[in-house]
Amino acid sequence: MRAWVVTRPGPVEEEPLRLVERPVPAPGEGELLVRVRACGVCRTDLHVTEGDLPEHRPEVTPGHEVVGEVAATGPGADADAWAPGDRVGVAWLRDTDGTCRFCLRGDENLCPASRYTGWDADGGYAQYTTVPAAFAYRLPPDVDDVALAPLLCAGIIGYRALLRTSLPPGGRLGLYGFGGSAHLCAQVALAQGATVHVLTRDEAARRLALALGCASAGGARDRPPEPLDAAILFAPAGDLVPVALRALDRGGVLAVAGIHLSDVPVLHYEDELFYEKELRSVTSNTRRDGREFLGIAARHGVRATTHPYPLSEAPRALRDLKAGRFDGAAVLVDDF
């Protein structure tokens, strides 16, 4: 098979990705072999490729928004649950120990032994990948591969971030940054009756936000037209944390959705934290989050705005993501 690997993490402009030929992987105990049909391009892939995240697996194949079909089942995989030809989704969270205190209380996203697709194990920038059957997702039959792919991380993480804000019914939500995850999160919040204000530097993203039904779309540092009950920071820019906190009403919550964030400036207590404002982080997701989000997306017709790229041009997709050359999400489609 053909696969992209991170030879040496560094700026995408210096071509850290290399296309290689590798044997098709054999599914291990309890795993599925997946023929990749589409793989979304996530900002986390950029962080893995450029070294913002520490290297976990040398020459890893990135990609964790995979839509594919089961090509084979490994020993111990439930043959009654999965069979060759089944449509399957592969997401960021790949495995947990299932026995730690976090897993046992339902917070498997905090498991110290958790492992991740495209970081700890080879992911979807390839023609085949593997996934533990217990962490694979069933996908709706009536949505095409390209449209589904971004839902498997951008959508799930956006949903997790929305939960972390504790947004009250009918509340006012601010989204800072409006890429692949935020534009899906906005659709869920709108479907649930929220008023959504978008703050982003990208003009095309602002147009998309208004087209989706958001109440306003301004610059990343602009003040929203009304105080916010909650906000989510999707942009990996720590200097926006105080900006978003100042936009919150009393008792408001800011959730930081990214896995990587530049340094946060010193916060001014009276202006940015007083009146019981809260700052929360978001760490991965649980499988329950994933199943809930996919169900909500199906019921409310949540759809990704997508830009397909051939798998052979994965480095260009990452460069375009870094440069902000598209709204919505990029998706790789096998052209080999």
Side-chain angles (χ1 to χ4, degrees):
M1 70 170 186
R2 302 284 186 92
W4 289 97
V5 300
V6 180
T7 54
R8 182 172 53 85
V12 288
E13 298 82 4
E14 298 176 8
E15 301 185 355
L17 285 179
R18 178 166 59 93
L19 185 63
V20 300
E21 289 193 3
R22 282 181 166 175
V24 173
E29 181 73 26
E31 291 186 345
L32 308 174
L33 174 64
V34 178
R35 172 73 169 91
V36 178
R37 302 201 312 216
C39 182
V41 177
C42 180
R43 187 164 292 274
T44 302
D45 303 335
L46 184 63
H47 294 319
V48 169
T49 301
E50 294 202 312
D52 296 324
L53 298 178
E55 184 178 75
H56 279 194
R57 178 183 176 90
E59 298 203 339
V60 71
T61 295
H64 54 273
E65 297 179 335
V66 176
V67 176
E69 62 180 51
V70 176
T73 57
D78 188 348
D80 293 328
W82 296 100
D86 286 350
R87 198 181 199 197
V88 63
V90 182
W92 174 236
L93 184 65
R94 178 182 175 85
D95 195 16
T96 62
D97 62 23
T99 59
C100 71
R101 63 191 180 97
F102 300 104
C103 288
L104 293 177
R105 74 186 194 195
D107 296 326
E108 64 182 4
N109 60 307
L110 301 179
C111 175
S114 56
R115 301 175 69 244
Y116 299 95
T117 309
W119 191 20
D120 296 291
D122 290 330
Y125 286 26
Q127 293 178 292
Y128 289 87
T129 190
T130 62
V131 61
F135 285 78
Y137 288 94
R138 295 200 175 276
L139 300 177
D142 56 343
V143 184
D144 69 71
D145 298 337
V146 170
L148 268 177
L151 273 60
L152 288 160
C153 178
I156 294 172
I157 292 298
Y159 176 67
R160 175 77 184 186
L162 183 60
L163 293 178
R164 291 286 289 157
T165 67
S166 301
L167 181 70
R172 302 157 297 176
L173 175 69
L175 302 180
Y176 288 80
F178 203 70
S181 191
H183 89 291
L184 294 168
C185 176
Q187 293 176 61
V188 174
L190 290 166
Q192 294 177 342
T195 299
V196 179
H197 300 286
V198 169
L199 298 306
T200 179
R201 65 184 183 182
D202 187 79
E203 186 176 341
R206 292 197 291 268
R207 291 195 297 269
L208 175 60
L210 295 174
L212 290 173
C214 296
S216 73
R221 297 181 179 279
D222 291 350
R223 194 83 171 191
E226 59 182 337
L228 304 172
D229 298 303
I232 303 172
L233 177 58
F234 286 101
D239 60 349
L240 289 178
V241 168
V243 174
L245 286 170
R246 287 193 295 271
L248 293 177
D249 207 346
R250 300 180 180 212
V253 176
L254 170 63
V256 179
I259 192 173
H260 171 77
L261 189 71
S262 60
D263 290 342
V264 177
V266 173
L267 298 177
H268 188 264
Y269 179 71
E270 185 175 352
D271 292 338
E272 293 150 10
L273 287 172
F274 196 51
Y275 295 118
E276 299 193 353
K277 297 179 182 181
E278 295 184 44
L279 174 61
R280 299 176 180 175
S281 65
V282 179
T283 300
S284 185
N285 63 274
T286 65
R287 284 171 285 178
R288 180 183 64 250
D289 296 331
R291 291 189 292 267
E292 286 180 3
F293 168 72
L294 291 172
I296 290 170
R299 288 195 301 275
H300 294 289
V302 175
R303 294 289 183 268
T305 296
T306 55
H307 303 272
Y309 286 73
L311 178 59
S312 61
E313 296 185 24
R316 179 170 69 89
L318 281 178
R319 290 194 298 270
D320 289 352
L321 171 64
K322 183 178 181 180
R325 295 193 181 103
F326 54 78
D327 56 6
V331 180
L332 302 177
V333 181
D334 186 8
D335 61 325
F336 292 115

